[in-house]
Amino acid sequence: MNAPTGPDPEDLAKRYGTPLYIYDLEKVRAARHDLFRSLPEGFEVYYAFKANPHVDLVRTLREGDGPSCRAEISSTGELAAALEAGYAGRDVLYTGPGKTYEELRTALESGVRLFSAESLGDLRHIGAAACELGVTADCLLRINSATGAAGTGIRMTGKPTQFGIDSETVPEVAEQLRNVPGTDIVGLHLFSQSNAADEEALLGEFRHTITAAAQIQEQLGVPLRLLDIGGGFSVPYATAGERARYPGLAAGLAEALDEAFPGWRENSPKVAVESGRYLVGDSGTLVAGVSNVKVSRGQKFVILDTGINSFGGMSGLGRLLPVTVQVAVGAETERATLAGPLCTPGDLLGRQVEVPLLTEGDIVTVPNAGAYGPTASLLMFLGRPAPTEVVLDRDGVVSVSRIEHVRRSREQEPTDV
């Protein structure tokens, strides 16, 4: 049940210690295949590096049989990972609401030409950096739609936010947007949801997004060459279960696009979606060791050698709890709270969850942990070492690595950005 193929997690834990992340590249390939199969032919897919920028996973999404994913990044660190994985600058979409001059210049010098502009000010910043280098930046205008359609795990539109241009303001700023030196508006970027509840909810949101995009195109007076309609593809996070399947999505998207953008089948505009957790979420398993077991006022606590410092990407938003651990069929279980090793009461991975009977020295495995793991966690808190990350492919170990933090003097690196 969502465990990696090949070497057993317990054997890998003995070899490499815990905490340990295990990633299975075969599952990454399967997720990419399933997502492209769910979309109309000709769609592009941008992989959101924030889900997991591990180079082996990213490279797998770019290489191999079938369509390749492009890269959606929002930092020079993610840009470096993309370049290391073999992406060219032309394959990258650079996003984010607070792009600095230094990172824009670095991206442009690396060949990136496609940016998502979150505001008129952001667009001007992009243009200024492009003008200084004597190039033109292709820009998608990110739009914060006034309304949404379906229920969703996380709503990204319809409220005051640092993300995107409020849709109702587009007519009054359209001329300014069209005339920013160094930029060429080539399309729109709309991202309204994350982890949609089901196919009906996902398709309903996409239909709403496509309709809104057609209205914005008319208000801008600029023909769209690229339309990024966002994502929302669902996979369990740190709990047992399977990735969602979307058998009716391609037909539904085609119908909505035929009505709003009749030329989309001839790439006018080219249509793209973006996905992070769906592509890598079920590829990962977190293996943690049991450091201690205690009872406090009638409640059992299983204290692990890792917590929100290694798997805390969602904890600050109240979206992590409860994780589940894998339990062998027929095994005796009990209720316990999973706690980490940090000196804070917030270091909890699950309150009163079902676990096997655990003792000190045992290990637990958390399924569907391939997204929002180490790089989305409090890695430096209390100075604990990062978890080891092991990548498997076709029953063999591809790589073993661990993130290391090193403090450097700024005097030694005065140009470091």
Side-chain angles (χ1 to χ4, degrees):
M1 181 172 61
N2 291 310
T5 58
D8 181 75
E10 189 166 350
D11 292 338
L12 291 171
K14 290 177 181 177
R15 290 167 62 183
Y16 302 112
T18 59
L20 177 71
Y21 275 91
I22 305 170
Y23 305 121
D24 184 349
L25 296 185
E26 283 288 87
K27 291 194 174 185
V28 176
R29 294 188 190 97
R32 181 184 66 177
H33 174 266
D34 288 347
L35 183 54
F36 273 106
R37 188 174 59 179
S38 298
L39 300 169
E41 185 176 355
F43 264 48
E44 289 184 341
V45 173
Y46 283 86
Y47 171 62
F49 271 48
K50 63 179 176 285
N52 191 331
H54 194 295
V55 171
D56 289 335
L57 275 65
V58 173
R59 186 181 291 116
T60 299
L61 290 168
R62 185 184 65 83
E63 297 177 343
D65 298 332
S68 296
C69 295
R70 295 180 179 269
E72 187 263 294
I73 65 170
S74 57
S75 71
T76 53
E78 290 184 341
L79 173 60
L83 296 175
E84 184 180 351
Y87 282 93
R90 64 178 177 274
D91 298 320
V92 172
L93 167 62
Y94 205 112
T95 69
K99 308 177 196 71
T100 66
Y101 168 80
E102 289 80 8
E103 65 183 288
L104 287 169
R105 185 179 178 94
T106 297
L108 289 162
E109 289 176 336
S110 300
V112 178
R113 291 295 180 271
L114 183 61
F115 296 83
S116 175
E118 305 270 3
S119 64
L120 179 57
D122 190 31
L123 185 66
R124 286 171 173 160
H125 295 158
I126 297 167
C131 284
E132 184 165 319
L133 294 173
V135 299
T136 299
D138 292 337
C139 293
L140 307 179
L141 299 180
R142 180 160 178 175
I143 302 298
N144 175 23
S145 295
T147 60
T152 182
I154 307 166
R155 174 147 302 285
M156 304 289 289
T157 58
K159 57 186 179 182
T161 175
Q162 68 269 42
F163 298 109
I165 301 166
D166 294 343
S167 58
E168 63 272 22
T169 69
V170 170
E172 63 191 68
V173 298
E175 184 175 357
Q176 296 178 72
L177 293 168
R178 290 194 302 263
N179 292 289
V180 174
T183 68
D184 184 13
I185 297 176
V186 300
L188 299 177
H189 177 196
L190 298 94
F191 193 103
S192 61
Q193 63 180 339
S194 177
N195 217 33
D198 50 41
E199 183 177 69
E200 181 180 355
L202 181 67
L203 185 54
E205 199 70 43
F206 278 146
R207 287 188 178 119
H208 182 271
T209 292
I210 290 166
T211 299
Q215 295 171 347
I216 296 295
Q217 175 181 240
E218 184 177 346
Q219 293 167 349
L220 277 173
V222 174
L224 305 183
R225 305 204 302 268
L226 176 61
L227 174 61
D228 182 343
I229 60 175
F233 310 101
S234 179
V235 65
Y237 182 67
T239 59
E242 302 293 327
R243 276 185 293 104
R245 300 297 192 271
Y246 303 106
L249 184 61
L253 282 172
E255 181 182 2
L257 287 163
D258 283 339
E259 183 175 345
F261 294 96
W264 75 274
R265 295 178 187 271
E266 288 74 45
N267 293 328
S268 181
K270 187 79 172 178
V271 185
V273 297
E274 57 193 81
S275 177
R277 74 171 74 186
Y278 188 85
L279 290 167
V280 298
D282 73 346
S283 73
T285 300
L286 172 61
V287 184
V290 178
S291 299
N292 193 16
V293 179
K294 62 168 287 188
V295 175
S296 175
R297 296 196 169 97
Q299 290 193 15
K300 179 164 283 191
F301 287 79
V302 174
I303 301 169
L304 307 176
D305 58 9
T306 193
I308 59 175
N309 58 313
S310 295
F311 196 57
M314 300 300 178
S315 61
L317 302 178
R319 288 156 48 197
L320 177 57
L321 297 167
V323 304
T324 61
V325 300
Q326 291 171 326
V327 179
V329 176
E332 188 177 354
T333 64
E334 63 182 346
R335 289 276 174 179
T337 291
L338 299 176
L342 305 184
C343 295
T344 169
D347 190 20
L348 298 177
L349 295 183
R351 292 188 180 94
Q352 293 300 296
V353 298
E354 201 76 17
V355 299
L357 301 181
L358 296 169
T359 61
E360 183 177 324
D362 288 342
I363 67 168
V364 299
T365 56
V366 178
N368 291 316
Y372 300 109
T375 57
S377 302
L378 302 175
L379 274 182
M380 294 191 69
F381 187 49
L382 292 182
R384 299 186 70 88
T388 300
E389 295 175 273
V390 176
V391 178
L392 307 180
D393 194 13
R394 299 184 175 92
D395 296 347
V397 174
V398 172
S399 68
V400 182
S401 61
R402 186 168 67 187
I403 297 170
E404 300 287 354
H405 293 284
V406 179
R407 188 184 300 278
R408 292 189 175 92
S409 170
R410 291 290 296 187
E411 286 73 21
Q412 295 175 7
E413 300 182 63
T415 59
D416 186 32
V417 295

